[in-house]
């Protein structure tokens, strides 16, 4: 099954006898919008969303509180499971996640559901901007329909899909470890968020932005395979991905999935790696 779904395919699915549960996971990396106020995904959802979608809070339901394990460590599974059931997610129900277009937050939801055992979850390719159907405001939804029926999904994490700091360092030596951040952050030329710039020694630069076209839609699978192949990524090589805090890296894992290549996620990512000053840091274009 493809890990992504087009807007037209989603419209057809929503009219089918077995419509998917829709998760609206709008979120932004920037802490403040142009107005000076932090981005409010709940407010964006309330102003207009795909009919039937349920808002999911990335910071509170798809991650734990920031700390030594990074800015977006794994969520408490009880909290995550409750959020998914509240949204109507059941083990036998298809799920589609979308966000405001960049795809990172929706991919985080996709990855978490896949990691915890859901067999049928996809991401809306291109996000909400790709949707050309009607939108509904939260007030309209409340008057027209009740909350979704409680789901029965119980998270059961898979083994081997998550890397810790030691595992990421080892994979950089024994397989391929991809850094999904922008190239200038990888090289250590700028670091707007974390205390130290650079990358994990041995990691290869593979910016998430390279995986999509100008509209934010994924490039064809064959193109993705060719690009990842230039970095030595194949189905026969262990692959892991990290970013700043395990959000955009989930989008890279999704791109690899589209290309037919399984990959593990270092959830703590650079924000966890740099929390320990004893961990080595490489700078410049050279992986080492």
């Amino acid at each position: 099954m493809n890990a992504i779904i087009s807007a037209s395919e989603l419209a057809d699915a929503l009219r089918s006898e077995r419509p998917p549960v829709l998760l609206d996971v709008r979120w932004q990396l920037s802490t403040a919008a142009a107005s000076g106020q932090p981005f409010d995904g709940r407010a964006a959802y309330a102003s207009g969303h795909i009919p039937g979608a349920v808002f999911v809070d990335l910071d509170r339901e798809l991650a734990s509180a920031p700390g030594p394990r990074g800015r977006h460590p794994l969520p408490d599974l009880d909290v995550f499971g409750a959020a998914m059931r509240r949204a109507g997610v059941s083990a036998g129900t298809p799920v589609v996640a979308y966000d405001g277009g960049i795809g990172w937050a929706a991919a985080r939801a996709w990855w978490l559901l896949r990691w915890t055992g859901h067999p049928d979850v996809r991401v809306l390719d291109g996000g909400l901007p790709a949707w050309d159907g009607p939108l509904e405001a939260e007030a309209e939804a409340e008057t027209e329909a009740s909350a979704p029926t409680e789901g029965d999904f119980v998270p059961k994490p898979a083994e081997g899909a998550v890397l810790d700091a030691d595992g990421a360092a080892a994979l950089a030596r024994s397989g391929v470890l991809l850094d999904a951040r922008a190239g200038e952050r990888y090289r250590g030329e700028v670091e707007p968020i974390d205390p130290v710039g650079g990358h994990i020694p041995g990691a290869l630069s593979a910016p998430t932005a390279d995986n999509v076209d100008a509209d934010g839609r994924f490039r064809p699978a064959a193109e993705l395979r060719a690009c990842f192949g230039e970095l030595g990524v194949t189905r026969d090589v262990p692959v892991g991905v990290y970013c700043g805090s395990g959000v955009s890296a989930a989008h890279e894992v999704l791109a690899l999935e589209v290309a037919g290549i399984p990959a593990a996620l270092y959830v703590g990512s650079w924000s966890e790696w740099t929390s320990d000053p004893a961990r080595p840091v490489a700078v410049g274009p050279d992986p080492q």
Side-chain angles (χ1 to χ4, degrees):
M1 184 189 69
N2 201 338
I4 56 177
I5 184 171
S6 69
S8 61
E9 290 170 333
L10 175 58
D12 290 341
L14 290 173
R15 291 190 293 265
S16 72
E17 296 181 356
R18 189 168 172 257
V21 171
L22 283 178
L23 306 181
D24 184 310
V25 202
R26 270 177 278 185
W27 171 87
Q28 285 184 9
L29 176 63
S30 58
T31 57
S35 64
Q37 297 298 317
F39 176 77
D40 188 340
R42 162 63 76 175
Y45 166 85
S47 67
H49 53 269
I50 298 176
V54 176
F55 179 71
V56 176
D57 190 315
L58 185 148
D59 290 317
R60 294 177 175 84
E61 296 172 323
L62 305 184
S64 297
R69 293 186 299 131
R71 283 193 307 280
H72 291 103
L74 287 173
D76 179 280
L77 289 182
D78 289 338
V79 172
F80 172 65
M84 294 299 99
R85 291 189 294 274
R86 171 185 60 80
V89 175
S90 291
T93 305
V95 179
V96 173
Y98 71 88
D99 56 27
I102 195 169
W104 295 358
R108 173 78 174 212
W110 167 84
W111 180 84
L112 280 167
L113 281 165
R114 288 287 302 273
W115 172 59
T116 54
H118 198 287
D120 188 353
V121 54
R122 289 179 283 179
V123 168
L124 175 58
D125 196 17
L128 191 59
W131 176 255
D132 58 4
L135 297 177
E136 68 181 4
E138 191 168 41
E140 296 168 344
E142 289 174 352
T143 59
E144 294 177 4
S146 59
T149 302
E150 182 89 0
D152 62 15
F153 179 69
V154 178
K156 297 178 181 178
E159 296 182 2
V162 178
L163 297 171
D164 58 13
D166 291 340
L171 188 58
R173 298 187 298 268
S174 63
V176 177
L177 181 65
L178 301 178
D179 185 318
R181 298 172 301 158
E184 58 268 24
R185 292 184 69 190
Y186 170 88
R187 294 187 296 270
E189 297 166 358
V190 297
E191 182 44 64
I193 305 172
D194 295 307
V196 178
H199 57 270
I200 297 173
L204 303 177
S205 180
T208 299
D210 293 346
N211 300 325
V212 296
D213 62 20
D215 294 324
R217 293 179 175 87
F218 281 100
R219 296 164 64 183
E223 286 187 18
L224 290 172
R225 276 194 297 273
C227 290
F228 287 124
E230 292 176 359
L231 297 172
V233 175
T234 70
R235 289 187 59 87
D236 300 324
V237 176
V239 180
V241 187
Y242 75 95
C243 59
S245 66
V247 178
S248 66
H251 190 267
E252 185 118 304
V253 173
L254 176 57
L256 286 157
E257 180 77 10
V258 171
I261 301 167
L265 178 65
Y266 175 23
V267 179
S269 286
W270 192 244
S271 57
E272 180 190 38
W273 184 269
T274 55
S275 69
D276 183 350
R279 294 191 182 110
V281 170
V283 295
D286 190 326
Q288 301 300 332

